[in-house]
Amino acid sequence: MSETRVVSPTAPSTVTADPAIMAGTLEEVEMEALLDTGTAMWAVVFAGGIGTRFWPLSTPRRPKQVLALVNERPLIADTVARLSPLVPADRVLVVTSADIADTLHDAIPEVPRANLLIEPRPLGTAAALAWGAQEVSRRAGPDTVFVALHADLAVGYPDVLRDALRRAAAVASADRLMVALGAKPTRAETGFGYLQPGTPLDPLVSRAEGGACRVEHFVEKPTPAIADVLIERGALWNTGIFVWRARVVLDELEQYTAELQFGLPKLASDEMAQFAELVSSVSIDRGLLERSPNVVVLPVEMEWDDVGTWASLRRVRELDDTGNGVMGEVHCVDCSGNVIHADGCCVVAYGISGMIVVSIDGLTFVTTQDRATELGPLLNALPGSLRFNPGRH
């Protein structure tokens, strides 16, 4: 069952905006701020797990991150591509697990193999962030600005995203702040997190003009009624895209994330095995952002969505004239509002609506979009050979 969480920062921040941001033109300040860091922008991409909610397409041999779910490129390749040229591939770090590292690297050969940070065990995103920040600091300096994001996000306008990252970098470079990108909600989504903007960071640049605001509070997984109220009050979706300096992130994690407290000294001395043993799993949102008063949200006018389930693909794929989101050799007759994925085969759909149809390697999976949001009960009921190796059937 979803749980609504409303969290306010622990205390008001006393950091003030840099006068240069208030005085100069936005574009000039953005570029100057990036140059003032002494190094170019980096990225840390979280790409762990196999993505069981995309069964039968996702398996240990074919994890979600290498699937072409939104367009013809694997999700991880799409993520790396949309950061370029602002963040070239050699400045992208990917945090992942040993079982899928080779498969991931095959999908993004432009990223150096040394840039894959392979966890000794699943650490949680807060610990993964700490490792990424420490590595950015080691390679490029502690005041280097980097963006942290997940590999399974869909962004409709990459150029808008890159412009937002430049603006966020200007804020992060000027002060000890952590910047979250916020997207305008398009529906009362109960599975996302919401950020309530508060006081504008710069009194001369309002939120309506695209200015950053301090985060008044967080709300995670609200009920539909609460989501409606949040949207009416101007709350933004938490996109899971963050911009900050390496030094600031590590200091904030040390101060506010008790789950990492005993492991961070080991991480700083490059003792990764001991770090992994001493930390507890917690997310970035709950372990850091909900606790720190130094978080601001930057509104971004871009198409954004979380590629989380088969049902989400209707929102991020190009649709035909009757609202079907299809990929592969698919023929729809008198059909509407379906997601159909054909991998190495042909699917013919006739007279159906609101369905999920996935066909691969001799196996066809059919369900409704409502039931596709959680496949746990289905996978638990299947024999292991079918659950993990559907291509054998």
Side-chain angles (χ1 to χ4, degrees):
M1 181 179 295
S2 296
E3 176 186 3
T4 300
R5 291 168 51 86
V6 181
V7 184
S8 299
T10 56
S13 173
T14 59
V15 179
T16 57
D18 190 315
I21 297 179
M22 301 168 60
T25 64
L26 185 60
E27 184 66 24
E28 289 174 349
V29 171
E30 290 166 1
M31 296 310 297
E32 288 174 3
L34 284 174
L35 294 174
D36 286 346
T37 63
T39 186
M41 194 173 189
W42 283 61
V44 173
V45 179
F46 306 114
I50 64 171
T52 55
R53 287 181 291 180
F54 281 96
W55 184 90
L57 205 58
S58 60
T59 68
R61 294 180 292 108
R62 193 173 51 234
K64 170 185 175 181
Q65 297 89 340
V66 302
L67 301 180
L69 295 174
V70 178
N71 51 44
E72 295 181 353
R73 278 194 301 215
L75 289 176
I76 184 69
D78 232 7
T79 300
V80 173
R82 73 170 62 102
L83 293 172
S84 179
L86 179 63
V87 185
D90 62 354
R91 294 203 299 266
V92 174
L93 303 177
V94 179
V95 185
T96 188
S97 53
D99 56 337
I100 65 174
D102 290 339
T103 304
L104 279 185
H105 191 248
D106 288 344
I108 47 171
E110 66 273 25
V111 175
R113 181 61 189 243
N115 286 18
L116 268 61
L117 308 183
I118 301 175
E119 297 176 308
R121 67 171 180 83
L123 298 176
T125 54
L129 171 63
W131 190 11
Q134 186 67 52
E135 194 65 16
V136 169
S137 179
R138 184 183 69 83
R139 298 189 187 196
D143 285 316
T144 300
V145 175
F146 71 94
V147 53
L149 71 167
H150 294 268
D152 55 357
L153 304 178
V155 176
Y157 301 104
D159 55 334
V160 176
L161 170 63
R162 290 189 292 270
D163 177 68
L165 294 179
R166 292 186 183 96
R167 291 187 286 129
V171 175
S173 296
D175 287 308
R176 295 183 61 83
L177 294 172
M178 299 182 290
V179 186
L181 300 193
K184 185 177 180 180
T186 58
R187 61 188 183 278
E189 174 63 58
T190 60
F192 291 173
Y194 291 73
L195 303 168
Q196 184 66 58
T199 306
L201 187 63
D202 181 347
L204 299 183
V205 184
S206 69
R207 174 195 162 185
E209 297 170 312
C213 300
R214 300 189 184 281
V215 173
E216 192 172 280
H217 58 255
F218 296 79
V219 182
E220 292 189 17
K221 298 183 178 179
T223 64
I226 293 177
D228 283 334
V229 172
L230 289 167
I231 293 171
E232 183 179 344
R233 293 179 178 176
L236 301 169
W237 277 340
N238 179 9
T239 65
I241 304 174
F242 311 108
V243 178
W244 32 40
R245 280 184 283 158
R247 183 200 305 274
V248 171
V249 169
L250 291 169
D251 288 348
E252 293 282 310
L253 288 169
E254 181 180 13
Q255 182 171 358
Y256 295 105
T257 311
E259 293 86 350
L260 308 184
Q261 179 180 358
F262 298 108
L264 288 174
K266 297 297 183 181
L267 180 64
S269 59
D270 201 25
E271 300 176 71
M272 192 60 201
Q274 289 84 349
F275 170 74
E277 291 177 0
L278 293 171
V279 300
S280 301
S281 179
V282 66
S283 70
I284 294 170
D285 293 349
R286 294 186 178 182
L288 176 61
L289 301 182
E290 291 180 358
R291 301 171 184 174
S292 171
N294 300 317
V295 183
V296 298
V297 59
L298 183 71
V300 183
E301 293 289 338
M302 66 179 182
E303 290 186 355
W304 170 91
D305 216 315
D306 176 30
V307 185
T309 68
W310 281 114
S312 71
L313 297 186
R314 266 206 78 236
R315 302 192 299 265
V316 300
R317 283 184 176 178
E318 290 188 12
L319 305 180
D320 65 16
D321 292 341
T322 54
N324 299 297
V326 306
M327 189 165 290
E329 189 178 356
V330 178
H331 302 275
C332 294
V333 179
D334 195 21
C335 295
S336 63
N338 302 288
V339 172
I340 305 177
H341 193 103
D343 192 326
C345 60
C346 176
V347 171
V348 176
Y350 177 51
I352 62 173
S353 61
M355 301 296 290
I356 305 291
V357 181
V358 184
S359 190
I360 178 175
D361 294 337
L363 181 146
T364 299
F365 168 53
V366 181
T367 188
T368 63
Q369 291 184 28
D370 288 340
R371 297 301 298 271
T373 57
E374 179 51 64
L375 299 186
L378 167 66
L379 297 181
N380 290 336
L382 295 176
S385 59
L386 182 57
R387 189 186 337 166
F388 296 114
N389 298 288
R392 294 183 179 180
H393 294 259

